[in-house]
Amino acid sequence: MYPDAYILFLVEFHSTRDYFECHEILEDHWKEAPSGERDPVWPGLIQIAVGLYHERRGNLTGASKCLKNAGLILGPLPRRLQALGLDADRLLQAIQEQLDHLEEPFRDMNLPITDPELEAQCIRLCEQKKICWLQDSPLEDTDLVHKHALRDRTDIVHERDKQLRIRDKQRRSRGM
């Protein structure tokens, strides 16, 4: 009923609190669709995860921007959120509450899941992975808190260099 990537996103969001991984999971899912057919709900949920990632790291400007974007993207999509087993009004309220408390110590946000079977499916996956549903962020885990800066980017750098070489070759072949 729900995309596997969405289930994984919810599990990471509510258990490991690996908001960077949440972003990666949904971005990959979103990009599977042709660009003109991409569902706008995914970037909205991605923005929530990225906003929380920034907030937990102390980047309140980035957190504010992402959370505000999430509200702007998701606000017009109540039916789509409902189809994903989320309460749209409560979600927008939770985003606003997160924004209202940015100056306070970081606190996790839970997405308002309304479908008991969806939540049960997420809990079963957590049990399989031996992780706890609705645990708090492990703020002392610097690898998690600063994941984007600490990850191995070798493949990304190589792919970027490859794409630059391809573009340069195309330009030269056109005589530019």
Side-chain angles (χ1 to χ4, degrees):
M1 177 175 185
Y2 299 104
D4 290 341
Y6 178 56
I7 303 294
L8 287 172
F9 168 84
L10 291 174
V11 166
E12 293 293 332
F13 195 97
H14 293 99
S15 61
T16 65
R17 303 297 183 167
D18 188 341
Y19 301 121
F20 186 84
E21 186 65 20
C22 290
H23 155 266
E24 295 287 301
I25 290 167
L26 273 193
E27 185 174 66
D28 287 345
H29 176 69
W30 177 63
K31 288 181 175 180
E32 286 175 4
S35 64
E37 300 172 26
R38 292 183 178 161
D39 187 339
V41 76
W42 304 129
L45 294 173
I46 290 167
Q47 288 289 297
I48 294 172
V50 174
L52 293 173
Y53 180 78
H54 284 308
E55 181 185 358
R56 187 168 59 193
R57 295 185 69 243
N59 176 0
L60 302 185
T61 301
S64 177
K65 181 179 176 184
C66 289
L67 291 169
K68 286 176 183 175
N69 284 342
L72 291 172
I73 293 166
L74 297 172
L77 303 173
R79 286 193 179 112
R80 184 67 186 106
L81 291 167
Q82 182 180 5
L84 288 172
L86 297 175
D87 181 313
D89 291 335
R90 286 180 34 220
L91 178 59
L92 295 174
Q93 180 182 3
I95 292 169
Q96 188 56 54
E97 287 174 8
Q98 202 73 25
L99 283 163
D100 292 345
H101 297 280
L102 281 180
E103 298 294 329
E104 298 172 12
F106 178 76
R107 62 188 178 98
D108 292 302
M109 174 180 157
N110 295 319
L111 302 177
I113 298 172
T114 58
D115 180 352
E117 181 48 40
L118 172 61
E119 187 168 14
Q121 191 175 358
C122 291
I123 291 169
R124 283 192 299 273
L125 186 54
C126 284
E127 289 168 353
Q128 289 171 8
K129 291 177 159 233
K130 298 183 178 4
I131 52 180
C132 295
W133 180 250
L134 298 182
Q135 72 178 358
D136 291 334
S137 273
L139 296 176
E140 68 285 348
D141 184 347
T142 56
D143 289 342
L144 181 67
V145 173
H146 303 290
K147 190 171 186 174
H148 84 283
L150 301 174
R151 74 188 193 278
D152 180 5
R153 297 180 41 86
T154 305
D155 292 344
I156 296 167
V157 171
H158 286 297
E159 182 62 27
R160 186 179 300 142
D161 288 344
K162 177 182 164 188
Q163 294 303 320
L164 285 171
R165 285 191 303 275
I166 290 168
R167 283 196 298 272
D168 286 345
K169 186 176 179 180
Q170 290 170 342
R171 281 190 205 113
R172 285 192 301 273
S173 70
R174 290 187 302 235
M176 298 179 105

